[in-house]
Amino acid sequence: MPTTLPRPDPSRLFNVDCKLSYTLLDDTHFLFLVHALDGMDQVVVEESLRLTPAVEHELHADAVFGHRTLRLKATAGPLTLRYRARVRLQRPLPDRRAKEVPIEALPHEVLPDLMPTRYCESDRLASAASKMFGTMEPGYARVQAVCDWIHEHIDYRVGSSNTTTTACDVFLQRSGVCRDFAHLGVAFCRALNIPARLAVGYARFDTPPPDFHAVFEAFVGGRWELFDPSGLADPQDLVRIAVGRDAGDVAFATLFGPVRTRLIRPEVEQVRSRRARR
Amino acid sequence: MPTTLPRPDPSRLFNVDCKLSYTLLDDTHFLFLVHALDGMDQVVVEESLRLTPAVEHELHADAVFGHRTLRLKATAGPLTLRYRARVRLQRPLPDRRAKEVPIEALPHEVLPDLMPTRYCESDRLASAASKMFGTMEPGYARVQAVCDWIHEHIDYRVGSSNTTTTACDVFLQRSGVCRDFAHLGVAFCRALNIPARLAVGYARFDTPPPDFHAVFEAFVGGRWELFDPSGLADPQDLVRIAVGRDAGDVAFATLFGPVRTRLIRPEVEQVRSRRARR
Amino acid sequence: MPTTLPRPDPSRLFNVDCKLSYTLLDDTHFLFLVHALDGMDQVVVEESLRLTPAVEHELHADAVFGHRTLRLKATAGPLTLRYRARVRLQRPLPDRRAKEVPIEALPHEVLPDLMPTRYCESDRLASAASKMFGTMEPGYARVQAVCDWIHEHIDYRVGSSNTTTTACDVFLQRSGVCRDFAHLGVAFCRALNIPARLAVGYARFDTPPPDFHAVFEAFVGGRWELFDPSGLADPQDLVRIAVGRDAGDVAFATLFGPVRTRLIRPEVEQVRSRRARR
Amino acid sequence: MPTTLPRPDPSRLFNVDCKLSYTLLDDTHFLFLVHALDGMDQVVVEESLRLTPAVEHELHADAVFGHRTLRLKATAGPLTLRYRARVRLQRPLPDRRAKEVPIEALPHEVLPDLMPTRYCESDRLASAASKMFGTMEPGYARVQAVCDWIHEHIDYRVGSSNTTTTACDVFLQRSGVCRDFAHLGVAFCRALNIPARLAVGYARFDTPPPDFHAVFEAFVGGRWELFDPSGLADPQDLVRIAVGRDAGDVAFATLFGPVRTRLIRPEVEQVRSRRARR
C-alpha cells in the first residue's frame, strides 16, 4: 500500500439528469441501476426520483460497494423514470507510477476479481495476454498499454455487439462498444493476475447521443484505478453508478417481462463555478 | 417463505480426511478451499490441518457464506496438505412441494444468482430452457425435472471436459463430469428465473476414486435446496466446503505457479453410531 | 439402390422473376447464383438476364452439379439485375420408404457430404444427434423425424441469425431462418452418417415477402431426397438454383466491395395449365 | 499468370514408408489417405500396399486433384497397413516476387478456396486479418508475413488442440500443432481474398517422432505456392498426399467404428544420389 495517497483531484460537482421511458406490454418486474453511487470517491449532494405513473418501489444498497438497485413492479402501459442528482467527485488523481501488487500481497477481498466471468473469459485469453503484455514492466503503465492496444486494435462501432458478446468475441471480431472495450480490458488484466472489474456510470461524450458509460478498474498500487480503453471520456469525470465483476452485475436495467424501450437519455454535466472548477 | 420449516434430518456425523500432494517447480501462491463449512446447515465439531513442510498460511472466511480460503506461498519442492475434520450435518429434509418464488418476492441478496456467469451462460440457454421446462408447474418438481433431463441426456465421462468447459458446451457435447452437470443445472434454473448456485464439498461415491464433488442449489420455497443431477451421491450427505456462483468461485485449489499435482484424495465417511445414525 | 425408380411427379412449369438492385459505393466484384439449375430434376425452358447498366459478365457452370455462377465487375453507382426463366420440374416423388445406405455402400462421390463444414458442425453435434435419433429405424422416416424435431423446437424468426450463425448456434439459441433450419438438418444427418447437403432456389411462400429459399437434401435410398424443416414451402416445388456443402458454397450473392442493397425480390409462380397442373 | 514459369527445382527422389496399426473392436469402415499423390508437381515411381490381414479394398481418385482414397471394411481384430512408395518431386522453386491475383482475375475454379470452412472461419477473422495484414503489399511476401506472424505468436504444443479445434480457437488460445498452424494460415489468407487450401503429406522432421504433416497453399502469381507456418520442415520437401479445403477433407484416416489406434508411423527420406541431390 502507498504510504502517501495521491493528492485528490480538486473536488468537482456534476449534475445528472437521467430519463428512461418504456411501454410495458404486461406486468413487468424491473431492476434499475441509475442512482449515483454515494460512497467511494464521490458524494451525492442531492437527488430526486420520479416514476410516472407513481409505482411502489424499493431501493437496495449493495452490501459491499453500496451501489443502489431500484426494484419495482409495474403494470402494462407506459412507465417513465426520471432521476436527477447533484454529485461531488472527490477522486484522487491517478498514480501513474503505481506498481502491481504481487499475488501473495493482494488483499483477500480483491481475489474474486482475478477470476473469469461471463463476459470476461480471462482464462481463455491467458496465453494471448501473456504473449502480448507479459514481458512489460508490471504496474499502471502496463494496464495503460493494455488500454492503448484495445484502443488501437478494436473499432468502436454501434451495433457490432449485443448482450451475449464477450471479451473473446471482441478480441476476434475487433469491434464493439464501450462495455466491450472495458470487458476486454478486464479480461486481459485478470489474465495478467491484475484484479480488474467493471465500473459504470454517467459520462459526457464529445459526440452525442448521451448513453450510460462503462469503463474498468484495475487494482494497482494498492487501490483501484479507473481506465477507459474506449477513450470516449475522461474516466476522472465518470459519475459512478456501480462497480461489478462484469456487465451482468451492473446492467442499468434488468427487465422481467415484455417491454418496449422508448427512451434512454442519461445526461450529465459538470457544474462550472469558481469553487468547483477543474 | 414457508410458515413451518421442514423437519430437520436427524443430525449426522461425518469424518473428512483430505490429502493433497504437489511438487512445486518454483515459488507458488495457493488458494485452497478444503475446510468444511462451519455454518449454514452444518457444524464443524473438530478439525486439523497439517502442511508439510510447515509453511505460513492464512485462513480467510467469506463475508457472506463463511467458507474459508486457505492462502499460502510455498517454495519449490514437495508440498503436502492434510485436512481432517468431524462435521455434524443438520440439514433439513428437502421440501419436495416447495413452490418457486416470484421474481418480485425474491430476497434482494439472491438476485445475483439469476445472472449468467463464466460457466453458466443462462442467457444463451434461455430459449432452450423455456421450451424444455417453461410450461411445467413451477416449484421443486420443476428443478427435479431439470436434473432428471440432465441425468438422462448427459453422459458422465471423465476426461470429456476441462477447465474451460461451460454449460453451453455440455449441452452441445452431451458429456461431462459432476461440475459440468451442476453448471448445466444452474444455467437452466437461472434461465427459468430460479436463483441457482454451485455447492462443492465432500461426498462418498459408490465407485471410487474419491474426489471433490459439485452439486447445485436452487432457491425454491424461500430457501436453498440441494440437487445433484449426476446422481453420484445423495446431496443430503454432502459435507459442504463452499457455495459460489460457479466453479470459478469455488475451485478447491487455485495455483499461481508451475506445479505438478501428485495426489488428490478427499475422503469422507459417515460415523455410524447409535446416536448418529440415519 | 432401388431397382425401380419412384414414379416421376407429373412435370410442372414454373415462372421465375428475380430482381436485385444495389448501389455500389466503389468498384465491386460480384458472384451471383440466381440462374435456375438446368439439369438434375429440372429443365430450363427459356431464360433471360438483364443487367442495368449493361456490364460485361461471365457465366461459369459448376463442374459437378452444373449450377451457374454469374461473375461481373461493376463500377460505382446503381446496378440492377433481372433474371427471368421458365423452368420445367421433373422431380420424382419422394420415396418415403427409402432406406439409408450403409457407409460401405455409399458411392464415393457422396462421402464429402458426411464431413463437417463451416455452418454444419456435425462433429460437435454427433453425440446429441446420436442420443436423439440414433435408435430410430434408419431411412427416410428418420430424416423426416429430424425435420419434425427442428420444426417443433426451433422458432422461425427473421433477424435472429446472421451470416456467421452455425448449426450449433441454432441448436443452442433455438431460432433462425430457413438456411439455419436447413443447416441444422444437414448437421444432424451427417452426424448420423447420412450424407446431406444444402439446396437453394426459388420457392413460393404463403406469407410474403418473397425471398430465396434454402432446404436440404439427404442421401437415402440411393438418391438425394429434398427436405424442408422450415415447412415454409413444399420442397417438391423448389426451383433449384444450386446445391452445395453449406450456405458458404451457394450464397445467391457474394460481394467484394462496398455495396448498399436496395432490393431483393426473387419471385416464382407455377404455370397453371391443363397439361402441367399438379 | 506469369509469362515465364519459375525454374523447376532439380527433381529429387523420396522414399515413403508408412505403417499404421489398429485394433478393431467391431466391423469398421475406413477411409485412408496415405497414397502419395501421383500428379501435380510429383510422380509416383513405384509403390506397394500391404494390408494384414488381407482385406478387400478400393482406391478412388479424386476427380479434381487426383489424390487417392483407400476404402475398406475390416472385421474385428487387428489391422495393419503398410504403404511404401518412391516419389519424384518436380516442384518449381517458389516465386517469392509473385503478386496476388485480383478477385476479378481469379480463375473460377479457385473461388471456393476463398470461402470459410469448418476449421478455417475466415469470415470471423476478417477484421483481425485486415487490421494485421491489410495494408501490406499484396503478394508472396504478404503470405510469408502471415506465416511469420503465426510462427512467432502461436506455440507448437502437442496435445493443445483436438479434432474440433478451429483457426479461431487457435488464434485465441495461441497454441496448436501443424494442422492448426496451417488452418490459421488458410483462414487469414482467405480473409485477405487470397485463395488458400490445406496440403497434407509426408515430411521429415528434425525432431522425432514421424507424423503426417499439414501445410497450406496460397494462390499467388497465378499458381499455388506452399507455405509452412510451423517451420517444422521445408515445404519444398513435402511428399504430397492430398489437398483440400481443410483437414475435414484430407484426414489420413476416417473411421466408422470402434477402433484402438496402435501405431502411426509415416516415414519419409530423401534418396541421396549423384543424380538426385538437392
Side-chain angles (χ1 to χ4, degrees):
Chain A
M1 299 263 186
T3 47
T4 56
L5 267 168
R7 197 170 46 89
D9 208 4
S11 106
R12 289 163 301 133
L13 272 181
F14 289 81
N15 281 335
V16 169
D17 186 351
C18 173
K19 196 166 175 191
L20 306 178
S21 179
Y22 301 95
T23 300
L24 285 57
L25 309 179
D26 198 353
D27 288 6
T28 298
H29 191 73
F30 282 90
L31 304 175
F32 287 111
L33 267 172
V34 294
H35 284 70
L37 186 67
D38 190 18
M40 299 184 70
D41 48 11
Q42 63 187 37
V43 175
V44 175
V45 178
E46 59 183 42
E47 66 180 355
S48 67
L49 174 73
R50 196 173 63 206
L51 293 161
T52 313
V55 289
E56 248 186 292
H57 55 273
E58 298 168 13
L59 212 51
H60 294 269
D62 182 81
V64 177
F65 304 115
H67 53 243
R68 293 169 291 165
T69 304
L70 175 69
R71 288 182 72 177
L72 59 89
K73 186 173 188 175
T75 51
L79 176 71
T80 299
L81 175 156
R82 184 150 187 204
Y83 170 76
R84 286 193 283 185
R86 176 167 284 217
V87 183
R88 182 178 306 282
L89 297 203
Q90 296 168 319
R91 186 160 297 153
L93 288 171
D95 177 6
R96 298 185 198 282
R97 288 162 313 174
K99 297 202 181 320
E100 290 174 23
V101 181
I103 286 283
E104 62 266 24
L106 284 173
H108 189 67
E109 63 271 20
V110 308
L111 294 182
D113 293 308
L114 286 177
M115 302 303 165
T117 55
R118 171 70 182 96
Y119 297 110
C120 306
E121 315 102 314
S122 44
D123 51 336
R124 296 190 64 202
L125 287 166
S127 185
S130 166
K131 282 168 186 293
M132 292 161 70
F133 310 107
T135 58
M136 290 181 184
E137 182 74 15
Y140 188 102
R142 179 152 76 154
V143 181
Q144 188 58 54
V146 165
C147 291
D148 292 346
W149 188 93
I150 295 172
H151 189 70
E152 189 180 345
H153 291 86
I154 310 293
D155 294 331
Y156 195 95
R157 194 154 58 232
V158 175
S160 64
S161 62
N162 59 38
T163 57
T164 68
T165 304
T166 71
C168 280
D169 294 331
V170 173
F171 183 65
L172 272 175
Q173 77 188 31
R174 303 277 155 135
S175 59
V177 296
C178 64
R179 75 172 219 159
D180 304 305
F181 281 60
H183 281 155
L184 188 51
V186 166
F188 278 144
C189 285
R190 290 179 188 166
L192 298 166
N193 285 337
I194 307 169
R197 64 189 188 192
L198 206 71
V200 294
Y202 298 98
R204 188 179 171 82
F205 306 134
D206 287 339
T207 53
D211 202 351
F212 291 97
H213 195 38
V215 300
F216 78 93
E217 294 187 313
F219 191 80
V220 286
R223 62 186 182 112
W224 291 100
E225 294 277 4
L226 282 163
F227 293 89
D228 182 356
S230 77
L232 286 183
D234 185 344
Q236 283 298 104
D237 292 355
L238 180 82
V239 176
R240 287 171 189 279
I241 294 173
V243 295
R245 289 170 73 177
D246 67 18
D249 281 354
V250 291
F252 76 88
T254 305
L255 287 63
F256 300 89
V259 169
R260 264 195 224 116
T261 300
R262 294 293 183 197
L263 179 73
I264 298 176
R265 207 186 59 204
E267 293 180 321
V268 63
E269 200 151 356
Q270 185 171 354
V271 182
R272 302 285 170 183
S273 74
R274 274 159 303 187
R275 250 201 90 244
R277 81 200 135 77
R278 214 176 149 189
Chain B
M1 297 263 187
T3 47
T4 56
L5 265 169
R7 197 169 46 88
D9 208 4
S11 107
R12 290 163 302 133
L13 271 181
F14 289 82
N15 280 336
V16 169
D17 187 352
C18 173
K19 197 168 175 191
L20 306 178
S21 180
Y22 302 94
T23 301
L24 284 57
L25 309 179
D26 198 353
D27 288 6
T28 298
H29 191 72
F30 282 90
L31 304 176
F32 287 112
L33 267 172
V34 295
H35 284 71
L37 186 67
D38 190 18
M40 299 183 71
D41 47 11
Q42 63 187 37
V43 175
V44 175
V45 178
E46 59 182 43
E47 67 180 355
S48 67
L49 174 74
R50 197 173 63 206
L51 293 161
T52 313
V55 290
E56 246 186 294
H57 57 272
E58 298 168 13
L59 211 51
H60 294 268
D62 182 81
V64 177
F65 303 116
H67 53 243
R68 293 168 293 164
T69 304
L70 175 69
R71 288 183 71 176
L72 59 89
K73 186 174 188 176
T75 51
L79 177 71
T80 300
L81 175 156
R82 185 154 187 201
Y83 170 76
R84 286 193 284 184
R86 176 166 284 218
V87 183
R88 183 178 305 282
L89 298 203
Q90 297 168 318
R91 186 161 297 154
L93 289 170
D95 176 7
R96 298 185 198 283
R97 290 163 312 175
K99 298 201 182 321
E100 290 174 23
V101 181
I103 287 281
E104 62 266 25
L106 285 172
H108 188 67
E109 63 271 19
V110 307
L111 294 182
D113 292 308
L114 287 176
M115 302 302 164
T117 55
R118 171 71 183 94
Y119 297 111
C120 306
E121 315 101 315
S122 44
D123 52 336
R124 296 190 64 201
L125 287 166
S127 185
S130 166
K131 282 168 187 293
M132 292 162 70
F133 310 107
T135 59
M136 291 181 183
E137 182 75 15
Y140 188 101
R142 178 152 78 155
V143 180
Q144 189 58 54
V146 165
C147 290
D148 293 347
W149 187 94
I150 294 172
H151 189 69
E152 189 180 345
H153 292 86
I154 311 293
D155 294 331
Y156 194 95
R157 194 154 60 232
V158 175
S160 64
S161 62
N162 59 39
T163 58
T164 68
T165 303
T166 71
C168 281
D169 294 331
V170 173
F171 184 65
L172 272 175
Q173 78 187 32
R174 304 276 156 136
S175 60
V177 296
C178 63
R179 76 173 218 156
D180 303 306
F181 281 60
H183 280 155
L184 187 51
V186 166
F188 277 145
C189 284
R190 291 180 187 165
L192 298 165
N193 286 337
I194 306 169
R197 64 190 188 190
L198 207 71
V200 295
Y202 298 98
R204 189 180 169 82
F205 306 134
D206 288 338
T207 53
D211 201 350
F212 291 97
H213 195 38
V215 300
F216 78 93
E217 294 188 312
F219 191 81
V220 285
R223 62 187 182 111
W224 291 99
E225 295 277 4
L226 282 162
F227 293 88
D228 182 357
S230 78
L232 286 183
D234 185 343
Q236 282 300 103
D237 292 356
L238 180 82
V239 176
R240 287 170 190 280
I241 294 173
V243 295
R245 289 171 73 176
D246 66 19
D249 281 355
V250 292
F252 77 87
T254 306
L255 288 63
F256 300 89
V259 169
R260 264 194 223 117
T261 300
R262 294 293 182 197
L263 178 74
I264 297 176
R265 207 186 60 203
E267 293 179 322
V268 64
E269 200 152 356
Q270 186 171 353
V271 181
R272 302 284 169 183
S273 74
R274 276 159 301 188
R275 250 203 90 243
R277 80 200 134 79
R278 207 171 156 189
Chain C
M1 298 261 188
T3 48
T4 56
L5 265 169
R7 197 170 47 88
D9 208 4
S11 107
R12 289 164 301 134
L13 271 181
F14 288 81
N15 281 336
V16 169
D17 186 351
C18 173
K19 196 166 176 193
L20 306 177
S21 179
Y22 301 93
T23 300
L24 286 57
L25 309 179
D26 198 353
D27 288 6
T28 299
H29 191 72
F30 283 90
L31 305 175
F32 287 112
L33 267 173
V34 295
H35 284 72
L37 187 67
D38 191 17
M40 299 184 70
D41 48 10
Q42 64 187 39
V43 176
V44 174
V45 179
E46 59 182 42
E47 66 180 356
S48 68
L49 174 73
R50 197 173 61 207
L51 292 161
T52 314
V55 289
E56 247 186 292
H57 56 272
E58 298 168 13
L59 212 51
H60 295 269
D62 181 81
V64 178
F65 304 115
H67 53 243
R68 294 169 290 166
T69 303
L70 175 69
R71 286 182 73 176
L72 59 89
K73 185 172 187 177
T75 49
L79 177 72
T80 299
L81 175 157
R82 184 152 187 203
Y83 170 76
R84 286 192 285 185
R86 175 168 286 217
V87 184
R88 183 178 305 283
L89 298 203
Q90 296 168 319
R91 187 161 296 154
L93 288 170
D95 177 7
R96 299 185 196 283
R97 287 163 314 175
K99 298 202 182 320
E100 290 174 24
V101 181
I103 286 282
E104 62 267 24
L106 284 173
H108 188 67
E109 64 270 20
V110 308
L111 293 182
D113 293 308
L114 287 176
M115 302 303 164
T117 55
R118 171 73 182 93
Y119 297 111
C120 306
E121 316 102 313
S122 44
D123 52 335
R124 296 190 64 201
L125 287 167
S127 185
S130 166
K131 283 167 185 292
M132 292 161 70
F133 310 107
T135 59
M136 291 181 183
E137 182 74 16
Y140 188 101
R142 179 152 77 155
V143 181
Q144 189 58 55
V146 166
C147 291
D148 293 346
W149 188 92
I150 294 172
H151 189 70
E152 189 179 345
H153 290 86
I154 310 293
D155 295 331
Y156 194 95
R157 193 153 61 232
V158 175
S160 64
S161 62
N162 59 38
T163 58
T164 68
T165 303
T166 72
C168 280
D169 293 330
V170 173
F171 183 64
L172 272 175
Q173 78 188 30
R174 304 277 155 134
S175 60
V177 296
C178 63
R179 75 173 219 157
D180 304 305
F181 281 60
H183 280 155
L184 187 51
V186 166
F188 277 145
C189 285
R190 291 180 188 166
L192 298 166
N193 286 337
I194 306 169
R197 64 190 189 191
L198 206 71
V200 294
Y202 297 98
R204 187 180 171 82
F205 306 134
D206 289 338
T207 52
D211 202 350
F212 291 97
H213 195 38
V215 301
F216 78 94
E217 294 188 313
F219 191 80
V220 286
R223 62 185 181 112
W224 291 100
E225 295 277 3
L226 282 162
F227 292 89
D228 182 357
S230 78
L232 286 183
D234 186 343
Q236 282 299 104
D237 292 356
L238 180 83
V239 176
R240 285 171 191 280
I241 293 172
V243 295
R245 289 172 72 177
D246 66 19
D249 281 355
V250 291
F252 77 88
T254 306
L255 287 63
F256 300 89
V259 169
R260 263 195 223 116
T261 300
R262 293 293 182 198
L263 179 74
I264 297 176
R265 206 186 61 203
E267 292 180 322
V268 63
E269 200 152 355
Q270 186 171 353
V271 181
R272 303 285 169 181
S273 73
R274 275 158 304 187
R275 249 203 91 243
R277 82 201 133 78
R278 211 174 149 190
Chain D
M1 298 264 187
T3 48
T4 57
L5 265 168
R7 198 169 44 90
D9 208 4
S11 107
R12 291 162 301 134
L13 272 181
F14 289 82
N15 280 335
V16 169
D17 187 351
C18 173
K19 196 167 176 191
L20 306 178
S21 180
Y22 301 94
T23 301
L24 285 56
L25 310 180
D26 197 354
D27 289 6
T28 298
H29 191 71
F30 282 89
L31 305 175
F32 287 112
L33 266 172
V34 295
H35 284 71
L37 187 68
D38 190 17
M40 300 183 70
D41 48 12
Q42 62 187 39
V43 175
V44 174
V45 179
E46 59 182 42
E47 66 179 356
S48 68
L49 175 72
R50 197 173 62 207
L51 292 161
T52 315
V55 290
E56 245 186 294
H57 56 271
E58 298 168 12
L59 213 50
H60 295 269
D62 181 81
V64 177
F65 304 114
H67 54 243
R68 293 169 291 164
T69 303
L70 175 70
R71 285 182 73 176
L72 59 89
K73 186 174 187 175
T75 50
L79 176 71
T80 299
L81 175 156
R82 183 151 188 204
Y83 170 77
R84 286 192 285 185
R86 177 167 286 218
V87 183
R88 183 178 305 284
L89 299 203
Q90 297 169 319
R91 187 160 297 153
L93 289 170
D95 177 7
R96 299 186 197 282
R97 288 164 313 174
K99 298 203 182 320
E100 291 174 23
V101 182
I103 287 282
E104 61 267 24
L106 285 172
H108 188 67
E109 63 270 20
V110 308
L111 293 182
D113 293 307
L114 287 176
M115 302 302 165
T117 56
R118 171 71 182 95
Y119 296 111
C120 307
E121 316 101 314
S122 44
D123 51 335
R124 294 189 65 201
L125 286 166
S127 184
S130 166
K131 282 168 186 294
M132 292 162 71
F133 310 107
T135 58
M136 291 180 183
E137 182 74 15
Y140 188 101
R142 178 152 77 156
V143 181
Q144 189 57 55
V146 165
C147 291
D148 293 346
W149 187 93
I150 294 172
H151 190 70
E152 188 180 345
H153 290 87
I154 311 292
D155 294 332
Y156 193 94
R157 193 153 60 231
V158 175
S160 64
S161 62
N162 58 39
T163 58
T164 67
T165 303
T166 72
C168 281
D169 293 332
V170 173
F171 183 65
L172 271 176
Q173 77 188 30
R174 305 277 155 133
S175 60
V177 297
C178 64
R179 76 173 218 158
D180 304 306
F181 281 60
H183 280 155
L184 187 52
V186 167
F188 278 144
C189 284
R190 291 180 187 165
L192 298 166
N193 286 335
I194 306 169
R197 64 190 190 191
L198 206 71
V200 294
Y202 298 98
R204 188 179 172 81
F205 305 134
D206 288 337
T207 52
D211 201 351
F212 292 97
H213 195 38
V215 301
F216 78 93
E217 294 187 314
F219 191 81
V220 286
R223 63 187 181 112
W224 291 100
E225 295 278 3
L226 282 162
F227 293 88
D228 182 357
S230 79
L232 286 183
D234 186 343
Q236 282 299 104
D237 292 356
L238 180 82
V239 176
R240 286 171 190 280
I241 294 174
V243 295
R245 290 171 70 177
D246 66 21
D249 281 354
V250 292
F252 76 89
T254 306
L255 288 62
F256 300 90
V259 170
R260 266 196 221 113
T261 299
R262 293 293 183 197
L263 179 74
I264 298 176
R265 205 186 62 201
E267 292 180 322
V268 64
E269 200 151 357
Q270 186 172 351
V271 181
R272 303 283 169 183
S273 75
R274 277 159 303 188
R275 249 203 90 245
R277 81 201 133 79
R278 207 176 156 189

